[in-house]
Amino acid sequence: MKTPRIEIDLQKIRENTRTLVDLLGCRGITVTGVTKAVCGQPDVAQAMLDGGAVGLADARISNVRRMRDAGITCPISLIRAPMLAEIDDVIRLCDTSYNTELETLVRLSVAAQRLGKEHDVILMVEMGDMREGILPMDVEAIASMVVKMPGIALKGIAANFACLGHDAPTPHAMAVLTRLANEVEGTCGPYISQLSGGSSSGISLALSDVSNGRLNNLRIGEAILLGIDPVTERRIDALHTDAFCLIAEVIETRWKPEKVLAQPLNPIPWALDLSRENSPKLRTVLAVGQQDTTPEGLSFPSQIEFVNATSDHTVVEGNDVRLSVGSEVKMGTNYSALMRAMNAPDVSERLLQMRRHSVPQGHHALRPQLTLVR
Ligand SMILES: *Cc1c(COP(=O)(O)O)cnc(C)c1O
């Protein structure tokens, strides 16, 4: 089979989505499945919908187009503010977009009228992540202008946490968003039907006993795909952490000293250096590198350890296991490693379609077993 390849267990993605949809549903919170880490891969997107996600969201219009081309008709939101050159596509392909700039909102309004469509907008509020967002004190003023723009409808307000920074949402932040929603309704009129209070980083607060105000939606990618809370980097109970694995082929395996010195005048330099070396290491080179993934973000089978990687090679070490040339090594991925692999031209995809109910494994699931397949 071709390597490097990413293997995707769709059933685990369905189950992770279902688990979160059920847990958050009890609190009145819906789940929007975020597909950006898999570049809008349509089978993954469909698995999220099958698991009960109310809609999908992606940061890139190209990924949205890929899902639409594959026949996905559910509501899709663009969660990165649109670029001006893609406004028409945003209106055509997305039901909703997240926005922070009046200039962009005006253009959305004009395009929606021209294309004869009604487009929903959500205002993104800056709540401390310091990436995108309208300052809380400006939300009412901008909302009051948006409600006068034909072709677009103000549907909600939202915030983002722990993306650029590392701070998870707080009860205070939810209270502020709730107050903003109430104020916008009071002064501008429209019912703010959606209060989207964050990403996977918001799950633990949403499931805690503290009040979340009017929070009624989370946009979730990482927790569905990898079962991980991005703030703690720990597994979320009852979620699968191994829905994806990256498989690479061994192209060299050899005992190596710490260093081989170049001594051109010595007739047998290798013999000299190797015999002087006390603790040679069994090093293995995998045919995968920075061009295919984020090698530092891979988790290896317990017998081997990551040493370093370059654009096309990843070097691992492990004295207890000798991997023969041509054998395959299966690795877990973090969010960045997954995203890069899903977007890399040389990494192929293999979908595992088995319809079985699988029980999530314990923490050792983060370290997939070594497979030696010829
Ligand atoms: C990426 C992103 C999300 C999803 O984040 P996860 O950590 O994958 O759950 C949600 N909202 C916005 C605006 C994003 O950019």
Side-chain angles (χ1 to χ4, degrees), residues 63 65 75 100 111-113 128 172-173 184 191 206 227 230 246 251 254 256 258 260 263 271 297 305 319 323 336 370:
N63 294 342
R65 180 176 291 110
T100 64
Q113 292 172 78
H172 175 70
V184 167
Y191 169 54
L246 181 65
I251 52 171
R254 176 163 284 131
K256 289 202 182 177
E258 291 281 311
V260 177
Q263 289 176 316
E305 256 175 48
N319 289 354
L323 298 168
S336 158
L370 200 66

Side-chain angles (χ1 to χ4, degrees), residues 125 127 136 139 157 175-185:
V125 184
M127 293 295 300
V139 169
I157 62 171
V176 171
L177 284 173
T178 298
R179 211 188 67 212
L180 286 170
N182 293 341
E183 283 173 8
V184 167
E185 284 173 352

Side-chain angles (χ1 to χ4, degrees), residues 27-282:
R27 315 272 172 138
I29 299 166
T30 59
V31 172
T32 298
V34 176
T35 49
K36 68 187 182 200
V38 293
C39 304
Q41 208 286 351
D43 301 282
V44 174
Q46 188 59 49
M48 289 176 169
L49 294 172
D50 294 344
V54 290
L56 300 170
D58 204 288
R60 291 177 192 247
I61 202 75
S62 52
N63 294 342
V64 175
R65 180 176 291 110
R66 183 179 178 195
M67 294 190 276
R68 291 297 189 218
D69 286 349
I72 291 177
T73 56
C74 76
I76 300 185
S77 308
L78 189 70
I79 44 173
R80 182 174 71 181
M83 291 184 274
L84 298 184
E86 65 191 18
I87 294 279
D88 282 7
D89 285 338
V90 175
I91 300 290
R92 283 194 198 100
L93 300 171
C94 305
D95 303 82
T96 306
S97 59
Y98 285 64
N99 287 276
T100 64
E101 290 284 359
L102 266 181
E103 164 94 36
T104 313
L105 287 156
V106 167
R107 303 234 192 170
L108 284 167
S109 165
V110 170
Q113 292 172 78
R114 180 163 40 77
L115 297 169
K117 291 211 166 197
E118 184 77 10
H119 183 76
D120 287 334
V121 299
I122 292 183
L123 298 180
M124 190 66 117
V125 184
E126 176 58 73
M127 293 295 300
D129 190 47
M130 307 311 279
R131 197 176 68 181
E132 77 278 33
I134 300 164
L135 296 181
M137 60 191 172
D138 298 331
V139 169
E140 237 183 290
I142 292 185
S144 66
M145 287 186 259
V146 171
V147 294
K148 295 195 194 100
M149 296 181 192
I152 60 177
L154 180 59
K155 182 185 172 196
I157 62 171
N160 203 30
F161 300 89
C163 270
L164 196 61
H166 299 288
D167 295 333
T170 59
H172 175 70
M174 293 305 135
V176 171
L177 284 173
T178 298
R179 211 188 67 212
L180 286 170
N182 293 341
E183 283 173 8
V184 167
E185 284 173 352
T187 51
C188 313
Y191 169 54
I192 299 297
S193 62
Q194 189 157 324
L195 200 148
S196 186
S199 62
S200 298
S201 65
I203 294 170
S204 92
L205 177 68
L207 295 179
S208 71
D209 291 331
V210 303
S211 161
N212 282 300
R214 288 177 58 176
L215 172 71
N216 63 6
N217 174 262
L218 288 175
R219 311 171 302 273
I220 302 180
E222 181 159 4
I224 291 175
L225 300 169
L226 298 174
I228 297 287
D229 177 333
V231 178
T232 59
E233 295 183 5
R234 307 265 299 264
R235 171 179 174 236
I236 297 172
D237 277 350
L239 297 187
H240 300 282
T241 55
D242 55 354
F244 295 85
C245 61
L246 181 65
I247 292 163
E249 185 174 323
V250 172
I251 52 171
E252 180 188 301
T253 185
R254 176 163 284 131
W255 289 92
K256 289 202 182 177
E258 291 281 311
K259 227 188 243 158
V260 177
L261 297 173
Q263 289 176 316
L265 296 180
N266 185 322
I268 45 166
W270 53 89
L272 190 73
D273 292 315
L274 282 175
S275 62
R276 255 204 247 134
E277 173 60 47
N278 294 327
S279 52
K281 300 268 172 49
L282 187 54

